[in-house]
Amino acid sequence: MGPRRSKRCQEKNNLLQESGATYSRKQRKKMTNQKWNDNDDKSSQPVVDDAYENKAKATELSTSCQRIQNGLTEVEIDFSMRKTDLSVPTNFMFPYLQRSLNFTHHQYQASVGLLSHPRLQHSQGVAGPVVSMVSNMQLLRTGSPFDRRVTAMAWHPSNPNVLAAGSKGGDIYLWDIDNINNNDNFIHGIGPGGSIQALKFWPWNDRRIITASIDGRVVVQDTDGRKTDVLSDTFNCYDFWYCSLDVSQARKLVVAGDNVGNTLLLSHEGKKIWSHRLHKGKVTHAEFSPREDWLLCTASIDHTVKLWDVRMIRDKKSALCVLQHDKGVNSVYFNPSDGCRLLTTDQGSEIRVYQAPEWSLERTIPHPHRFFQHITPIKASWHPLLDLIVVGRYPDKTFPGYMDGERRTVDVFDASTGARVCQLHDPSAPGIVSLNTFSPDGDKLASGMGVNLLVWCRQDEVEKKQLVLLQKYKQGSNSSSDPSQRQPKRKKPTNTQTKSKSTKDTAQLKTKLKTKTKKL
């Protein structure tokens, strides 16, 4: 220790002595160490107690398991506990995800069915482009291929420009919206009594279509109508017919519902697996979940929507969940984005959204779309990229907020807020739009309005495609009027030529008769 440091220490000790707090450096260090040891003893005591308690529980559990294995103890398991008793808060396991605004966290929550942060869910970066795209849609083309109203529609899974539609008369029309030549495939139906209630493209061959109709058959046929395979037939279409249909590619299953509440499960080869009466009335819709391939939902006019595990169905009491409605239900759809929401459309004025995993009612959207016998039932559907709801409006004077001259528009709602995002309308299409379905990439919307088919597209795409179609139309008209591409017409014979030819023929016949008579 240097002389300067020793001098400072002496001065410091003198000051401490004057204040009365005299203790050496060694005593101070000793006291601080003792204080820390006391604190460690106090903090470590609860940990030791918890360790002893856990050890006691572990030994007790191990002894009970050994007694069960040796058969010394009987075990009774109670399965009466309902799923609602096992509800776990969404922020229990990952609370930081609920507070995060990270897009990756948002995607993860969507994949597991957790609720997202509202600020991120409605941010312009996630939903803005999709909403603006739908809001700017305009009518691209219209078609009227049927003599009876449109009852079912489906977009081609690999060709985004091909739309398949079925009619009440059983006709099927495959429409290429980029083609102006009238050479689209058209399959004629049987007319009255052949209404197609559901239509899907066959997952294992997109050149085939599966349909369910009121002629009592589930049929898989080629798009050109040449080959037809019947998967199921009631053989009594006056009393029993099919009203709904869906296909599971993962499990190779086909499900169909009929008019009396029966649900039929088939293999993709047409082999019957089971058939049960799961509803009291007509099964208006059936669909497999895009998330869980074993999960099936069905809707009926008996005011219920039911969810099923196709591996464990025995009767109508096997339902995993029953969603009660005030009126009959026209349709039920899983959202294609993550399969964690259900969208139902009743036959009155309610659109409901249910949320997984408990399928609790998330939102009810009042909307006029009442059921009428002579129009196709109105069904709300999803956008494939975002949870937007599209549905046709049927104005009702008894509906709250009705205004005189209300138009029959196509309404788009946000499922998270219930707010109306936009309305689609064109003066050339003033009818009631019953069916709406987006293309797989979400940039086109097909609508069924009576006997008419409507195709909506973005405004910039409408202008481009209309120019292309106009050029194709002009090229087709020019080629038909070009004399170089036409075959030369045969000249019709004049009267003098026909007369001379006839006189020659009669003269030859007369000479032949004279020779025959001479020989005789």
Side-chain angles (χ1 to χ4, degrees):
M1 181 182 294
R4 292 183 179 179
R5 189 171 181 185
S6 61
K7 189 180 289 186
R8 289 178 182 175
C9 290
Q10 288 178 2
E11 292 176 357
K12 191 174 184 180
N13 289 331
N14 294 331
L15 292 173
L16 290 173
Q17 287 177 3
E18 292 177 0
S19 62
T22 60
Y23 57 89
S24 64
R25 185 183 300 174
K26 292 183 179 179
Q27 290 177 349
R28 184 175 59 197
K29 189 173 182 181
K30 193 172 184 180
M31 289 180 66
T32 54
N33 291 336
Q34 186 177 1
K35 188 184 292 184
W36 282 108
N37 291 332
D38 293 341
N39 292 334
D40 289 342
D41 293 339
K42 291 179 182 179
S43 61
S44 61
Q45 189 64 31
V47 177
V48 173
D49 295 341
D50 293 340
Y52 280 118
E53 186 178 356
N54 292 336
K55 186 176 181 181
K57 289 182 180 179
T59 54
E60 183 180 356
L61 181 62
S62 62
T63 53
S64 60
C65 290
Q66 289 179 359
R67 291 179 62 85
I68 292 171
Q69 289 179 355
N70 297 331
L72 301 177
T73 304
E74 295 182 357
V75 180
E76 294 183 359
I77 302 175
D78 186 13
F79 292 101
S80 61
M81 184 178 293
R82 301 292 297 174
K83 184 177 63 173
T84 54
D85 299 333
L86 299 174
S87 61
V88 180
T90 57
N91 59 352
F92 177 74
M93 296 181 64
F94 307 104
Y96 66 92
L97 290 180
Q98 296 293 322
R99 300 188 298 269
S100 174
L101 292 178
N102 192 307
F103 183 74
T104 305
H105 293 167
H106 168 73
Q107 291 294 99
Y108 175 76
Q109 290 182 91
S111 65
V112 299
L114 299 178
L115 293 177
S116 302
H117 197 286
R119 282 174 56 194
L120 179 60
Q121 198 169 17
H122 303 292
S123 63
Q124 293 296 324
V126 177
V130 179
V131 173
S132 63
M133 179 184 66
V134 176
S135 302
N136 293 329
M137 280 188 171
Q138 291 184 356
L139 188 62
L140 173 64
R141 292 193 65 181
T142 61
S144 303
F146 305 125
D147 57 352
R148 292 172 178 265
R149 54 186 166 89
V150 180
T151 54
M153 292 188 305
W155 284 96
H156 196 281
S158 59
N159 191 343
N161 296 321
V162 175
L163 175 70
S167 73
K168 189 180 178 182
D171 303 326
I172 299 176
Y173 179 57
L174 274 86
W175 186 21
D176 187 352
I177 61 175
D178 286 343
N179 185 16
I180 61 171
N181 301 322
N182 295 324
N183 55 359
D184 296 319
N185 291 342
F186 190 91
I187 304 173
H188 291 276
I190 63 175
S195 176
I196 293 177
Q197 299 294 295
L199 182 148
K200 302 278 184 181
F201 277 92
W202 193 238
W204 299 276
N205 185 359
D206 56 12
R207 294 184 178 179
R208 308 201 78 191
I209 293 176
I210 181 171
T211 59
S213 58
I214 63 173
D215 63 355
R217 299 193 304 168
V218 176
V219 175
V220 181
Q221 55 186 328
D222 295 343
T223 54
D224 54 6
R226 295 181 180 179
K227 184 180 179 182
T228 301
D229 297 327
V230 179
L231 297 185
S232 179
D233 195 339
T234 61
F235 298 104
N236 183 11
C237 62
Y238 293 100
D239 297 325
F240 306 101
W241 60 85
Y242 291 109
C243 309
S244 54
L245 172 77
D246 197 20
V247 183
S248 173
Q249 185 177 7
R251 291 191 170 267
K252 298 181 179 180
L253 297 176
V254 178
V255 63
D258 66 6
N259 62 313
V260 295
N262 296 319
T263 304
L264 173 66
L265 190 68
L266 304 168
S267 68
H268 71 293
E269 298 175 348
K271 182 179 179 181
K272 179 180 176 181
I273 299 176
W274 51 254
S275 178
H276 300 296
R277 192 167 188 264
L278 304 181
H279 288 274
K280 297 179 181 179
K282 179 172 71 172
V283 181
T284 55
H285 197 95
E287 183 173 281
F288 287 101
S289 170
R291 181 179 178 86
E292 306 291 347
D293 54 10
W294 48 265
L295 184 60
L296 171 71
C297 67
T298 56
S300 174
I301 61 173
D302 63 358
H303 301 192
T304 61
V305 171
K306 298 182 180 181
L307 289 101
W308 314 87
D309 186 345
V310 294
R311 305 165 298 181
M312 303 174 62
I313 295 182
R314 295 182 179 178
D315 51 21
K316 62 182 180 181
K317 297 181 180 179
S318 305
L320 301 176
C321 185
V322 180
L323 308 177
Q324 292 287 341
H325 288 68
D326 297 332
K327 294 189 177 182
V329 183
N330 289 334
S331 63
V332 54
Y333 290 102
F334 288 99
N335 64 327
S337 59
D338 58 6
C340 295
R341 275 174 168 165
L342 272 178
L343 174 64
T344 66
T345 310
D346 69 353
Q347 294 183 351
S349 58
E350 282 187 356
I351 299 172
R352 296 188 181 185
V353 180
Y354 292 88
Q355 176 70 42
E358 297 181 357
W359 304 112
S360 56
L361 181 61
E362 179 183 0
R363 194 165 306 280
T364 300
I365 303 175
H367 184 264
H369 53 262
R370 66 189 185 278
F371 177 76
F372 186 61
Q373 182 179 2
H374 298 291
I375 65 172
T376 302
I378 297 176
K379 301 177 181 180
S381 60
W382 293 103
H383 190 279
L385 305 180
L386 194 69
D387 287 350
L388 297 178
I389 302 169
V390 57
V391 59
R393 175 178 288 265
Y394 185 10
D396 186 4
K397 294 182 179 180
T398 61
F399 185 77
Y402 172 79
M403 298 176 63
D404 293 336
E406 189 172 332
R407 297 183 298 182
R408 299 165 176 175
T409 58
V410 177
D411 299 339
V412 181
F413 294 91
D414 188 348
S416 300
T417 62
R420 189 172 63 192
V421 175
C422 65
Q423 286 182 313
L424 304 179
H425 178 73
D426 192 275
S428 62
I432 299 172
V433 179
S434 300
L435 303 176
N436 293 281
T437 176
F438 279 99
S439 60
D441 51 6
D443 64 341
K444 287 182 286 294
L445 174 65
S447 302
M449 183 187 69
V451 298
N452 304 302
L453 293 173
L454 313 177
V455 176
W456 308 80
C457 195
R458 297 198 310 262
Q459 183 177 0
D460 54 348
E461 291 292 330
V462 168
E463 295 174 355
K464 293 178 182 178
K465 290 190 176 184
Q466 285 181 350
L467 288 175
V468 172
L469 292 173
L470 184 60
Q471 291 177 359
K472 289 182 179 181
Y473 179 76
K474 287 181 179 180
Q475 290 176 1
S477 60
N478 291 334
S479 62
S480 62
S481 60
D482 189 1
S484 63
Q485 297 184 4
R486 280 189 272 170
Q487 295 182 355
K489 294 182 179 180
R490 295 181 181 179
K491 294 182 180 180
K492 293 182 179 180
T494 59
N495 293 332
T496 57
Q497 290 178 350
T498 54
K499 286 181 180 179
S500 62
K501 189 176 181 179
S502 61
T503 53
K504 288 180 181 179
D505 292 339
T506 52
Q508 289 177 0
L509 289 172
K510 286 180 180 180
T511 54
K512 287 180 181 180
L513 289 173
K514 287 180 180 179
T515 54
K516 285 183 180 180
T517 52
K518 288 179 181 179
K519 288 180 180 180
L520 292 173

